[in-house]
Amino acid sequence: QMLQSAEAAVEVDAAMGPPEAVLMSPRWQEKVFELREAVFLAKLAARLQGLSKQNLSPFDAWTAALPEVLRVAWAHIDRLTHTAAIELFLSGPVATSPVGPIVA
């Protein structure tokens, strides 16, 4: 269900203007990151279900699916990083010091 809603959001936003404008929209980009994460998560679930039918121990099944687990983890990190960067960008200028940003 999450995968279908993310796909629909990407399609609806893509139809709302010229492709160049849509690609620059932070909210559309966020939906794409969500879709990417959802696709990888669905693939991981399918892989684990397939491995569970092969009479493997849970440990062996998890170990065999580690590449997919890492792919989901990186997609999640990418989405969170993008979301944080967009929120910071949209919040306006940040005061800085010679050491770095000043966080209140």
Side-chain angles (χ1 to χ4, degrees):
Q1 183 181 10
M2 182 176 143
L3 180 61
Q4 291 172 345
S5 64
E7 286 176 336
V10 169
E11 289 175 14
V12 168
D13 286 347
M16 294 177 61
E20 299 82 19
V22 172
L23 292 176
M24 297 303 291
S25 165
R27 298 301 163 215
W28 184 82
Q29 294 170 0
E30 189 173 0
K31 297 295 181 187
V32 171
F33 276 100
E34 289 173 4
L35 176 61
R36 178 176 171 247
E37 184 179 358
V39 166
F40 288 153
L41 189 58
K43 287 181 180 181
L44 171 61
R47 174 94 163 118
L48 287 172
Q49 286 177 348
L51 290 169
S52 71
K53 295 176 184 175
Q54 296 179 8
N55 294 328
L56 295 174
S57 71
F59 178 80
D60 289 337
W62 183 255
T63 302
L66 278 178
E68 288 84 1
V69 171
L70 289 174
R71 198 169 294 125
V72 170
W74 279 113
H76 182 69
I77 291 168
D78 290 344
R79 182 180 62 80
L80 292 179
T81 303
H82 178 268
T83 301
I86 292 302
E87 287 175 6
L88 182 63
F89 176 75
L90 294 177
S91 70
V94 176
T96 59
S97 73
V99 178
I102 300 171
V103 180

